[in-house]
Amino acid sequence: MSKGLMLYPEPKSATPEGKPPFPYILLKHREIPDIYKLEVYRANSGYAALAKTLKEYKPEQVIDLVKVSGLRGRGGAGFSTGIKWSFIPKDESIVKYVACNSDESEPGTCSNHEIIDGNPHQLIEGILIACYAIGSKIGFIYIRGEFARGARVLERAVEEARAAGLIGKNILGSDFSCEIVVHRGAGAYICGEETALLESLEGKRGFPKLKPPFPANVGGGVYGAPTVINNSLTLATVPHIMLNGAEWFTQWGTEKSKGIALYSLSGHVERPGNYELPMNTTFRTLINELGGGVWKGRKLKCIIPGGSSMPILPATDEVLDTTMDFEGVAARGSMLGSAGIIVFDDQTCIVGAVLRLVEFYKDESCGKCTPCREGTQWLVQILHRLEHGHGRPEDLDLLLNVGGNIQGKSFCLLGDSAPVPITSAMHLFRAEFEYHIKEGRCMVGSGANRPPKREVAVAQ
Ligand SMILES: Cc1cc2nc3c(=O)[nH]c(=O)nc-3n(C[C@H](O)[C@H](O)[C@H](O)COP(=O)(O)O)c2cc1C
């Protein structure tokens, strides 16, 4: 992609030679200008994986290869992609679909959109291979409406591919025919949740649906047809695996989290950006070496390891030496999620930070279920009075109580996520919450300079 169009600053190299610390695979657009154009993509082995797949593999063999590669979904849960594909009924008379989840609304996560903007054909090729593997004739790309540029890039790439016979009837002279439809959402975090995405794709309000039936079952997917829903990064990785083989992919990563992944690094760090790394890279390497360390020479306070909905982790050596794979992060009490790593420096008031995060969940609650709709409002109100000097001693228990009445009682995982920042922050930094109640101001950061507790009447 030409420099003029580059939205995402390329992180500066960590090596003195000026080379990226790891060869670009998914991020090839950073070294190959204009790879978003079909001719450039094809000149750099683009669509060779599709051609190879159609020529050399039966659909079941594609699913087996993806299973063997160990590729796990990059959308949050880390479920095996090959196994997910194998759930789709094999009966040829049943209509099936692939839906690519390009909503990417998780705060702290921005890697999907770099791929979409920089190398859309890579994604389209992955969707076509997925469609071939499960016997689908239509692949949908659900993209968040606000990412208008990404949607235009995708629409143009689909047109280019269709004109070149890569989308449509008898692709590359084979028996395989497939269409790709780009669908713009209207912009709601909930529409990234797979069942809400399906509703929105069908033109309905983006409310999550009860499972079962699961999307892979008859009755559960788009228009009731069995549907594979995968994250954009998951699907963009597939052509590389088909071209280079499962063993090539498994050379990186850990025993259960294979290959490479994209990590979005944000927050109080010198060099934020997307980093492509083997899945056995540690937080320390990402934050301190590649990311240039905590900004302004400050100390690390804590991190959120997987987008804003995952528990906060403290800045211990143990955490920093943890590899950024699904099991490694889980062993520390959090989750890799969407691999968005958010860094907080020691000048961060944790109460203020948590308030901001929970406000997001309150704003984005779809309102379908009472615990999430009402509970997130209450959480914000309590946190707001804590942050602004009107906290009461009983507020800490109240926060946990309200959180406990949302978690596990909501219709979908959005509600379950909302209290996570509070519980993990209170576990790690309880003294800061208590300081807020006692002193009426922050312990650190600019809020520490506020006048002490204001003795004013507080709305109950
Ligand atoms: C509230 C909420 C928002 C989500 N947002 C996204 C998203 O923006 N992109 C995404 O791929 N997955 C998102 N997910 C996860 C999806 O429901 C689904 O698990 C994922 O797209 C599956 O793809 P994968 O198997 O390739 O990981 C979200 C889940 C929840 C509960």
Side-chain angles (χ1 to χ4, degrees):
M1 171 164 268
S2 69
K3 283 279 175 220
L5 283 174
M6 183 68 93
L7 276 184
Y8 304 88
E10 182 175 350
K12 287 184 200 114
S13 164
T15 64
E17 301 81 33
K19 291 199 181 109
F22 182 74
Y24 289 135
I25 298 168
L26 290 168
L27 295 179
K28 271 269 181 246
H29 59 279
R30 288 191 179 170
E31 55 193 14
I32 303 176
D34 296 343
I35 199 167
Y36 68 95
K37 291 179 179 163
L38 180 62
E39 67 201 61
V40 182
Y41 184 66
R42 289 189 100 170
N44 287 280
S45 311
Y47 290 105
L50 178 66
K52 182 180 171 187
T53 305
L54 297 181
K55 206 166 152 214
E56 295 175 20
Y57 290 84
K58 292 200 173 78
E60 315 84 78
Q61 292 174 317
V62 180
I63 296 179
D64 285 343
L65 185 87
V66 173
K67 264 189 212 165
V68 174
S69 77
L71 176 64
R72 292 170 67 173
R74 305 301 191 221
F79 192 78
S80 157
T81 306
I83 293 179
K84 187 184 264 194
W85 293 5
S86 71
F87 290 155
I88 299 291
K90 304 281 178 284
D91 187 339
E92 281 183 24
S93 66
I94 298 175
V95 173
K96 300 132 192 166
Y97 297 110
V98 168
C100 172
N101 192 341
S102 296
D103 195 60
E104 190 165 74
S105 307
E106 183 81 357
T109 311
C110 59
S111 45
N112 284 219
H113 283 91
E114 177 166 0
I115 295 298
I116 291 164
D117 289 348
N119 197 348
H121 285 290
Q122 180 179 225
L123 179 57
I124 292 168
E125 190 174 5
I127 296 170
L128 290 168
I129 295 171
C131 285
Y132 174 74
I134 67 150
S136 163
K137 290 186 171 52
I138 300 187
F140 295 96
I141 307 178
Y142 185 94
I143 181 161
R144 193 182 165 96
E146 284 96 329
F147 296 114
R149 200 186 93 112
R152 280 198 301 274
V153 171
L154 280 170
E155 283 156 2
R156 187 174 55 191
V158 166
E159 272 169 37
E160 272 185 314
R162 192 181 291 117
L166 293 156
I167 293 176
K169 286 207 181 322
N170 300 108
I171 293 170
L172 296 168
S174 72
D175 291 342
F176 175 57
S177 300
C178 192
E179 263 306 319
I180 304 268
V181 176
V182 179
H183 181 99
R184 299 184 190 213
Y189 175 56
I190 191 62
C191 288
E193 192 281 334
E194 56 186 21
T195 59
L197 181 150
L198 292 172
E199 291 286 274
S200 176
L201 197 52
E202 292 177 12
K204 298 179 218 151
R205 183 171 178 167
F207 270 166
K209 289 198 286 187
L210 201 62
K211 294 188 269 191
F214 293 95
N217 304 147
V218 173
V222 187
Y223 306 119
T227 302
V228 154
I229 304 170
N230 274 135
N231 174 261
S232 328
L233 299 179
T234 313
L235 291 165
T237 308
V238 168
H240 300 282
I241 292 173
M242 293 312 298
L243 200 58
N244 301 300
E247 256 182 46
W248 166 84
F249 194 64
T250 56
Q251 70 179 292
W252 298 292
T254 60
E255 200 195 326
K256 292 189 177 157
S257 301
K258 302 286 185 202
I260 48 99
L262 287 191
Y263 298 92
S264 301
L265 181 65
S266 67
H268 301 151
V269 66
E270 286 291 342
R271 289 193 290 261
N274 291 321
Y275 291 84
E276 179 163 38
L277 297 164
M279 289 196 81
N280 53 344
T281 310
T282 62
F283 286 112
R284 192 185 295 281
T285 303
L286 176 66
I287 297 169
N288 289 347
E289 289 178 33
L290 308 175
V294 181
W295 71 351
K296 301 178 183 173
R298 290 184 189 163
K299 283 204 179 111
L300 184 64
K301 176 169 188 148
C302 56
I303 59 171
I304 306 185
S308 67
S309 51
M310 301 303 154
I312 300 168
L313 291 175
T316 59
D317 280 340
E318 213 180 26
V319 165
L320 285 172
D321 289 329
T322 300
T323 51
M324 298 183 293
D325 63 293
F326 295 106
E327 287 69 32
V329 183
R332 298 279 164 251
S334 189
M335 281 168 77
L336 183 63
S338 58
I341 288 105
I342 308 171
V343 172
F344 295 92
D345 70 21
D346 59 353
Q347 290 302 299
T348 308
C349 165
I350 202 73
V351 178
V354 164
L355 168 62
R356 186 67 201 95
L357 288 169
V358 181
E359 272 174 342
F360 170 80
Y361 292 103
K362 184 213 68 170
D363 289 348
E364 292 295 330
S365 174
C366 75
K368 175 165 175 155
C369 73
T370 314
C372 178
R373 184 186 62 241
E374 300 288 325
T376 50
Q377 305 263 2
W378 281 107
L379 290 179
V380 167
Q381 279 193 35
I382 303 164
L383 281 166
H384 193 271
R385 67 171 175 249
L386 273 176
E387 167 66 0
H388 291 93
H390 309 300
R392 305 177 298 205
E394 61 272 26
D395 278 345
L396 301 191
D397 285 343
L398 194 55
L399 276 175
L400 296 177
N401 184 300
V402 175
N405 278 298
I406 304 173
Q407 244 170 356
K409 297 175 180 69
S410 301
F411 193 84
C412 81
L413 284 173
L414 191 151
D416 286 335
S417 307
V420 166
I422 301 174
T423 39
S424 55
M426 272 175 65
H427 174 66
L428 294 171
F429 305 104
R430 193 176 172 100
E432 274 193 54
F433 284 83
E434 288 168 349
Y435 186 93
H436 266 264
I437 292 169
K438 198 160 160 265
E439 304 293 334
R441 59 182 172 181
C442 308
M443 198 184 242
V444 290
S446 57
N449 302 325
R450 279 204 300 254
K453 191 159 181 132
R454 280 162 270 166
E455 300 296 338
V456 291
V458 180
Q460 305 298 302

